[in-house]
Amino acid sequence: MPTLRDVAADAGVTKMTVSNVLNGRRDQVSEATYERVMRAVERLGYVRNATARSLSANRSGILALVYKAPPPGADPLGNPHDSIFLGEVERCVSASGRHLMVRSAESPIAAVDSLRSWNVDAAIFLNTVAEDLETVRARHNVPLVFVDNYSGSPLISNVGVDDFRGGYLAAEHLADHGHAQIAWVGPERVLNEVMDQRFQGFTQALAERGIAHGPSGAIDCELSFDAAVTVGEALADSPRPFTAIFAPADIIAIGLMKGLNHKGIHVPSQMSIVGFDDLPVSHQVSPELTTIRQDVRAKADAAVDIALRLLAAGPDAAPEHLTLDVALVPRESVAAPAR
Amino acid sequence: MPTLRDVAADAGVTKMTVSNVLNGRRDQVSEATYERVMRAVERLGYVRNATARSLSANRSGILALVYKAPPPGADPLGNPHDSIFLGEVERCVSASGRHLMVRSAESPIAAVDSLRSWNVDAAIFLNTVAEDLETVRARHNVPLVFVDNYSGSPLISNVGVDDFRGGYLAAEHLADHGHAQIAWVGPERVLNEVMDQRFQGFTQALAERGIAHGPSGAIDCELSFDAAVTVGEALADSPRPFTAIFAPADIIAIGLMKGLNHKGIHVPSQMSIVGFDDLPVSHQVSPELTTIRQDVRAKADAAVDIALRLLAAGPDAAPEHLTLDVALVPRESVAAPAR
DNA sequence: TTGAAAGCGCTAACAC
DNA sequence: GTGTTAGCGCTTTCAA
């Protein structure tokens, strides 16, 4: 592999001049020299050694994306939300001429050492709980962008969506269709602020309309398709004091539809359902799912954007907090309640 | 950030001793010294500088995953096959104590410079066409593992699945149900060996059973859900000299079902369909899709495994070629042809 | 506009 | 077992 020194020798200049050329400091190099160096680079097939550069310049050009490792057995990155987010982050990072390192970890804290080790310039954290983040910040002083984290900590940046409004819109939509008993079927909300916010928005919309929502209307369901099928089947077999369901994740909504269907309950004529996320699968199933759309790619764009901006602004730049809007996407899984 | 030197000072030894301790060369260090060094590491919160290590030792501990950039507008990593593959690769790479760099590129050739730049130890290439690979090999002499590449080149390793057999099984399954006119609805097969192999297996099974398969039975459809919906609708509106379809990708099969459904054609009673891949979505839709399953995670495991093995074996190790088996998963989208 | 010297943090090779 | 020396390929700083 040719090095700077080889290029310098070939072009008849010193390493420093080559370095200047390569770093685009055109004002420090004469036109003729510039050309000569570039030709030498070309001829030798020279590629910068990023590792040496990183060591010497003390910035690596690496951005890291850290996400929560899935439970054993589950498909890593099996969730379309996460994979599309990752794909879009990669696109932005590559477009900026930097490099993306990807790492799953039980807890973000476990990943910090690898960030420090590679001297990463900034990191984005997906699916982390609020507590972890102060520790992470304490150990690694680079721009840290969290996603969907409700810590509110001023030490880190965050990009999220308006989960509260999403829940509100879902309830409103169902109420507008005449539903007066609406169940929540979703993950436990302890330690899951995202879900809790969706729930709060949901209940507020109900309350404003004088629709009662007792605890009996909140049904636990793990965040997986299979779990939701089971819950859907169980629901079909039991008395149901409600005519509609808000499932705060599409994957649950889809599972519920399938479970209900198995047992002969038709959606939407016998049960209306609203989901959340607008995953691709939601318009692939029949009936297509009415859902709350969040723009995952915009979220990814924003996360990278903030990371790069803070990087450019230097270590004293203030973290940024951004909340993206959501929207209701009416499709086929909601109808007026059966008479 | 503490360095080796700081740890050495703290422990009252030289850098070299600390290095030996950190690299687990226990036989070169006395028990007492080992303990002392470890305590110093602990106390200072020392983390290895991977960048310096890579420069000096000439191996980075980085594995790269390179995949084809999606067309503009499409979700990057929107394809579950690719994202699950990536997730599983990450899992294996992390488990081996290495680091994963992820990069999309128009062509693998475009990504080679970044591999060289970071001195990556090995690379895995997803969704590449056969031609690219000789160029890649020529420019970067580390273990290169391609996925689903039919070049047959002895210069690189490959992991794939038995696409031919998958096509064969699909045709056989439909024929066994009594279908005597079966259409292929899939992407163009020029330059797409994977699809061509599935097609060859498909036609061979038909030929063995004396089932004619004229060119009229091969219908082009882009590899996307939306494209398949359109084709499905068009099919519903035209004379159909066939009672069953083999769609060599689940995403197409699902789109076809939806398109046919829109127009009142019922699957499977009026049209049977077999897909390929067994994506999660295939058992989320109704009817559930009968399909050819490939084990994406096993493919990812094998790719990383080969990369690491070749790495351990040194630069002269012979590339490996592995073909994983596929299996028919009977579900709900196939029935006997309508009378 | 170009060059020389020093050093980033680590490991390999060899000496003690 | 432990220490010494040299150097990986680059950038920074300062001098010419």
Side-chain angles (χ1 to χ4, degrees):
Chain A
M1 293 274 263
T3 71
L4 252 203
R5 172 206 217 91
D6 299 325
V7 176
D10 190 278
V13 295
T14 55
K15 293 195 302 179
M16 214 33 242
T17 303
V18 179
S19 175
N20 283 332
V21 169
L22 257 31
N23 289 313
R25 302 198 236 280
R26 304 231 23 174
D27 50 329
Q28 316 223 358
V29 178
S30 74
E31 183 63 26
T33 310
Y34 186 91
E35 288 302 334
R36 205 141 36 86
V37 169
M38 287 310 264
R39 268 199 303 278
V41 166
E42 195 66 30
R43 182 163 46 233
L44 299 174
Y46 170 79
V47 178
R48 263 205 198 78
N49 183 325
T51 235
R53 200 165 128 88
S54 166
L55 179 60
S56 158
N58 201 35
R59 53 186 150 63
S60 62
I62 300 177
L63 260 65
L65 176 64
V66 179
Y67 58 91
K68 190 165 172 50
D75 285 333
L77 251 28
N79 180 338
H81 172 278
D82 295 350
S83 60
I84 292 172
F85 185 90
L86 163 49
E88 182 69 6
V89 165
E90 191 287 326
R91 222 181 51 78
C92 298
V93 170
S94 279
S96 82
R98 290 160 206 274
H99 305 266
L100 179 67
M101 210 161 241
V102 168
R103 178 83 151 82
S104 72
E106 282 304 319
S107 132
I109 299 172
V112 173
D113 282 358
S114 100
L115 306 187
R116 292 216 291 163
S117 172
W118 280 105
N119 202 357
V120 305
D121 289 342
I124 298 173
F125 293 85
L126 195 59
N127 296 335
T128 57
V129 300
E131 290 122 89
D132 299 331
L133 100 214
E134 311 263 333
T135 315
V136 174
R137 160 49 70 225
R139 296 210 198 159
H140 196 46
N141 188 32
V142 298
L144 260 26
V145 183
F146 284 73
V147 179
D148 294 326
N149 187 301
Y150 275 95
S151 75
S153 165
L155 297 176
I156 52 98
S157 297
N158 186 67
V159 179
V161 303
D162 196 339
D163 293 297
F164 182 93
R165 179 146 185 277
Y168 188 98
L169 290 174
E172 182 176 58
H173 184 69
L174 288 168
D176 286 352
H177 275 75
H179 293 276
Q181 290 91 23
I182 307 174
W184 157 284
V185 181
E188 287 195 80
R189 301 182 313 279
V190 203
L191 291 180
N192 190 334
E193 275 279 359
V194 168
M195 290 301 166
D196 195 52
Q197 285 295 313
R198 292 177 190 178
F199 184 76
Q200 298 304 334
F202 171 71
T203 52
Q204 168 155 343
L206 294 186
E208 286 177 7
R209 282 157 188 76
I211 299 179
H213 173 75
S216 69
I219 297 158
D220 280 342
C221 177
E222 211 184 285
L223 191 62
S224 88
F225 176 79
D226 292 334
V229 171
T230 307
V231 171
E233 289 171 343
L235 252 32
D237 285 340
S238 55
R240 294 180 302 284
F242 48 84
T243 58
I245 295 173
F246 171 42
D250 281 359
I251 197 71
I252 291 179
I254 308 257
L256 290 176
M257 291 208 286
K258 167 138 260 164
L260 289 167
N261 232 304
H262 273 172
K263 299 286 189 167
I265 307 288
H266 183 253
V267 175
S269 66
Q270 295 174 274
M271 182 66 69
S272 289
I273 300 189
V274 176
F276 199 116
D277 282 339
D278 194 23
L279 303 182
V281 65
S282 301
H283 82 280
Q284 293 171 355
V285 294
S286 296
E288 295 189 14
L289 184 66
T290 292
T291 190
I292 307 297
R293 166 193 297 245
Q294 64 161 314
D295 191 338
V296 177
R297 288 174 61 182
K299 210 158 71 171
D301 293 346
V304 175
D305 200 57
I306 290 176
L308 294 182
R309 206 158 51 229
L310 293 183
L311 198 49
D316 296 326
E320 301 185 20
H321 292 253
L322 182 66
T323 301
L324 301 178
D325 206 2
V326 296
L328 180 89
V329 184
R331 289 206 273 245
E332 302 168 354
S333 62
V334 173
R339 292 262 25 217
Chain B
M1 294 273 263
T3 71
L4 252 203
R5 171 203 218 95
D6 300 324
V7 176
D10 190 279
V13 295
T14 55
K15 294 195 301 179
M16 214 36 239
T17 303
V18 179
S19 176
N20 283 333
V21 169
L22 257 30
N23 289 311
R25 303 198 236 279
R26 306 229 24 174
D27 50 329
Q28 315 224 359
V29 178
S30 74
E31 183 62 26
T33 310
Y34 186 92
E35 287 302 333
R36 203 142 35 85
V37 169
M38 286 310 265
R39 268 200 302 279
V41 165
E42 195 65 32
R43 182 163 45 233
L44 298 174
Y46 169 80
V47 178
R48 263 204 197 79
N49 183 325
T51 234
R53 201 163 128 89
S54 165
L55 180 60
S56 159
N58 200 37
R59 52 184 151 64
S60 61
I62 300 177
L63 260 65
L65 176 64
V66 180
Y67 58 91
K68 191 166 171 52
D75 286 332
L77 250 27
N79 180 339
H81 171 278
D82 295 350
S83 60
I84 291 172
F85 185 90
L86 163 51
E88 182 69 8
V89 165
E90 191 286 327
R91 222 179 52 77
C92 298
V93 169
S94 278
S96 82
R98 290 160 206 274
H99 306 266
L100 180 66
M101 209 161 241
V102 167
R103 177 84 152 80
S104 72
E106 282 303 320
S107 131
I109 299 172
V112 173
D113 281 359
S114 100
L115 305 187
R116 291 215 293 163
S117 171
W118 280 106
N119 202 358
V120 306
D121 289 342
I124 297 173
F125 293 85
L126 195 58
N127 296 336
T128 57
V129 300
E131 289 122 89
D132 299 331
L133 101 213
E134 311 263 334
T135 315
V136 174
R137 159 51 68 227
R139 297 210 197 158
H140 196 46
N141 189 32
V142 298
L144 260 27
V145 182
F146 284 72
V147 178
D148 294 328
N149 187 300
Y150 275 95
S151 75
S153 165
L155 296 176
I156 52 99
S157 297
N158 186 68
V159 179
V161 302
D162 196 339
D163 293 297
F164 182 93
R165 180 145 185 275
Y168 189 98
L169 290 175
E172 182 177 59
H173 184 70
L174 289 168
D176 287 351
H177 277 75
H179 293 276
Q181 291 90 24
I182 307 174
W184 156 284
V185 181
E188 287 196 78
R189 300 181 315 278
V190 202
L191 290 180
N192 190 335
E193 275 278 359
V194 168
M195 291 302 166
D196 195 52
Q197 285 295 313
R198 292 177 190 178
F199 185 76
Q200 298 304 335
F202 171 71
T203 52
Q204 167 155 344
L206 295 185
E208 287 178 6
R209 282 156 187 77
I211 299 179
H213 174 73
S216 70
I219 298 159
D220 280 342
C221 177
E222 212 183 285
L223 191 62
S224 87
F225 176 79
D226 292 335
V229 172
T230 307
V231 171
E233 289 172 344
L235 251 32
D237 285 340
S238 55
R240 292 181 303 283
F242 49 83
T243 59
I245 295 173
F246 172 42
D250 281 358
I251 197 71
I252 292 179
I254 308 258
L256 290 174
M257 290 207 289
K258 166 137 261 164
L260 290 166
N261 232 303
H262 273 172
K263 299 287 190 166
I265 307 288
H266 183 254
V267 175
S269 65
Q270 295 173 272
M271 181 66 70
S272 289
I273 299 190
V274 175
F276 199 117
D277 282 339
D278 194 23
L279 303 181
V281 65
S282 300
H283 82 280
Q284 294 171 355
V285 295
S286 297
E288 296 189 14
L289 184 66
T290 292
T291 190
I292 305 297
R293 166 195 295 245
Q294 64 161 313
D295 191 338
V296 177
R297 289 174 60 183
K299 208 158 71 171
D301 293 346
V304 175
D305 199 57
I306 290 176
L308 295 181
R309 206 158 52 228
L310 293 183
L311 198 50
D316 296 325
E320 300 185 20
H321 292 253
L322 183 65
T323 301
L324 301 178
D325 206 1
V326 296
L328 180 88
V329 184
R331 288 206 273 246
E332 302 168 354
S333 63
V334 172
R339 289 263 27 214

